[in-house]
DNA sequence: TAGTACCGGAACTGATTAGTATCGGCATGA
DNA sequence: TCATGCCGATACTAATCAGTTCCGGTACTA
């Protein structure tokens, strides 16, 4: 998909211009509702009410609810992790903690709630689910891949572990905690994961524990 | 919830007895449909058709679709991992592979597809989602906890890793792979996880690699 | 044998909702 | 200035589906 999911209409010159600023408002409302109630329970009228838009304006832009959600989720991608400005603290542990800090707990919460909202579609509407995966999870894994790759390059990683698999550990465990257990993905949990699973798996000694902030400091 | 989710009815002696064997048939059909289309898209008529049952028979047993699914999922638990007869091969790696073998890929597939079917409810209907978690995932994590605990007891584990967190690694990563990536949780993937993540994280040397079967043997 | 509660099947009801149509009003351009 | 197409709002249509009710028939009890 891309820019021209738009409904075909005869090219004519007259008439009021479509107010493109309504697009973002409607898509933002779409994400809000998706996060709050999930795809199946989300109704077009809810989104219209939230965006203070008429349904006509919505169906003028997207041919169906599914297409609208698809674009809303795809746009989320732009607000996610910025792969061009990843932290570089000198240690993998420091980088991972900085990445979390940069994102903020609030974004992560919205993040997982959006995934939970899309979860219904995993089996049902692979297109939308894939869009959710591409927009939300893949960039995060990619960031992990890059940070771990750097750690390998500077010989911080002593095991021959598979970087691709290692990069999935934190997102996958975070998903389990947030979606299934419904407990917060907070700093404490991240530190647990780093020190008990990821860093040992990569053969990085826990000596960082005393040097860097860990469990027990500001949440 | 437990045995008496049943609809209250006046105790009278006369009449044809309720055919209790229909219960299992209906619940099994419920799981089938849940697995195939997910909770939201599953209709009571689909289940009735699959079970060759009348809707009356179903509503005589459960007051709502939700209650019926709840019991269906709860009953799955009995068919899951048998915590009293876990494998004991002498090594954690062997135990984990044997646990997978015992379950069979088919069961794991049904397992995750059931979870995917319930995923819609994670945010929406916590009761049912929790039942799914208790029935499907918690026993699996518990099995991991026990097997890792044994490995600690026989000093196979050399790191001071948190057993509770370690026990979640394989189920969580399996969920990510199966629900989000929609790729099979097969033996190859399990071996990858064991050798690249779990065993190194626990400080277990990869020397087992040559002694035990790994990647490349019968799927 | 009479009465009751079950069975599968099928028709029905009421609520919900995606998508369409239409309203009065406003902005644009010919 | 006037036709056109946008705007939000609201009413409508057609389909879907949970839950109810009734049917003809069967099994069990008294």
């Amino acid at each position: 998909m891309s820019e021209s999911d738009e409904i075909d209409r005869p090219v004519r010159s007259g008439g009021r211009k479509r107010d493109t600023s309504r697009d973002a408002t409607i898509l933002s409302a779409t994400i809000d509702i998706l996060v709050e109630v999930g795809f199946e329970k989300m109704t077009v009228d809810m989104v219209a009410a939230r965006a203070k838009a008429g349904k006509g304006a919505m169906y003028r832009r997207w041919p169906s609810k599914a297409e609208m959600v698809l674009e809303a989720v795809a746009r989320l991608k732009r607000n996610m992790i910025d792969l061009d400005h990843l932290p570089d603290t000198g240690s993998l542990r420091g980088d991972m903690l900085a990445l979390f800090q940069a994102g903020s707990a609030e974004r992560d919460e919205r993040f997982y709630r959006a995934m939970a909202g899309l979860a219904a579609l995993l089996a049902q509407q692979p297109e939308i689910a894939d869009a959710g995966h591409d927009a939300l999870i893949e960039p995060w894994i990619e960031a992990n891949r890059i940070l771990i790759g750097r750690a390998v390059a500077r010989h911080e990683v002593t095991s021959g572990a598979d970087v691709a698999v290692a990069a999935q550990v934190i997102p996958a465990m975070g998903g389990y905690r947030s979606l299934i257990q419904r407990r917060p993905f907070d700093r404490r949990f991240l530190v647990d994961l780093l020190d008990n699973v990821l860093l040992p798996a990569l053969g990085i000694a826990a000596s960082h524990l005393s040097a860097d902030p860990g469990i027990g400091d500001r949440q």
Side-chain angles (χ1 to χ4, degrees), chain A:
Chain A
M1 93 240 39
S2 64
E3 297 314 305
S4 277
D5 273 7
E6 207 157 295
I7 292 185
D8 285 338
R9 59 198 149 111
V11 185
R12 228 169 301 180
S13 57
R16 179 176 175 171
K17 292 284 187 287
R18 183 173 297 177
D19 179 358
T20 54
S21 77
R22 304 301 290 128
D23 295 28
T25 307
I26 294 170
L27 292 177
S28 171
T30 302
I31 294 292
D32 283 351
I33 304 292
L34 178 69
V35 160
E36 285 169 25
V37 307
F39 181 84
E40 300 287 345
K41 298 233 167 187
M42 153 195 211
T43 71
V44 177
D45 290 283
M46 281 186 211
V47 177
R50 178 71 57 101
K52 292 198 188 308
K55 287 208 282 178
M58 296 166 61
Y59 280 96
R60 224 172 279 126
R61 290 170 168 75
W62 302 280
S64 70
K65 172 186 170 186
E67 296 275 345
M68 185 178 71
V69 173
L70 195 58
E71 181 165 351
V73 172
R75 289 210 181 181
L76 264 187
K77 185 170 188 171
R78 304 177 191 165
N79 304 326
M80 292 304 300
I81 293 168
D82 180 359
L83 292 175
D84 295 327
H85 298 90
L86 293 175
D88 192 353
T89 65
S91 77
L92 180 58
R93 190 172 191 275
D95 285 353
M96 298 299 287
L97 289 173
L99 186 65
F100 175 75
Q101 210 77 309
S104 89
E106 185 202 351
R107 187 210 55 187
D108 285 349
E109 207 52 37
R110 186 175 167 87
F111 174 100
Y112 278 117
R113 293 179 66 89
M115 272 313 299
L118 290 172
L121 305 175
L122 290 176
Q124 203 52 49
Q125 306 235 31
E127 252 198 357
I128 296 182
D130 281 346
H133 178 250
D134 290 348
L136 302 174
I137 299 185
E138 195 43 59
W140 189 14
I141 293 180
E142 179 61 19
N144 276 268
R145 218 172 351 237
I146 292 171
L147 296 181
I148 296 172
R150 282 190 199 150
V152 170
R154 65 176 169 253
H155 303 102
E156 191 184 351
V157 171
T158 63
S159 82
D162 183 335
V163 174
V165 175
Q168 295 177 1
V169 170
I170 289 181
M173 298 282 290
Y176 171 69
R177 182 174 179 89
S178 197
L179 267 88
I180 314 280
Q181 289 188 315
R182 290 201 301 284
R183 301 178 63 193
F185 183 94
D186 52 17
R187 183 187 178 84
R188 177 180 299 270
F189 178 67
L190 176 62
V191 169
D192 255 18
L193 271 185
L194 285 173
D195 294 333
N196 282 296
V197 182
L198 187 61
L199 298 180
L202 293 171
I204 299 179
S207 63
H208 298 262
L209 254 169
S210 44
D212 278 333
I215 298 178
D217 52 336
R218 71 239 134 90
Q219 122 90 344

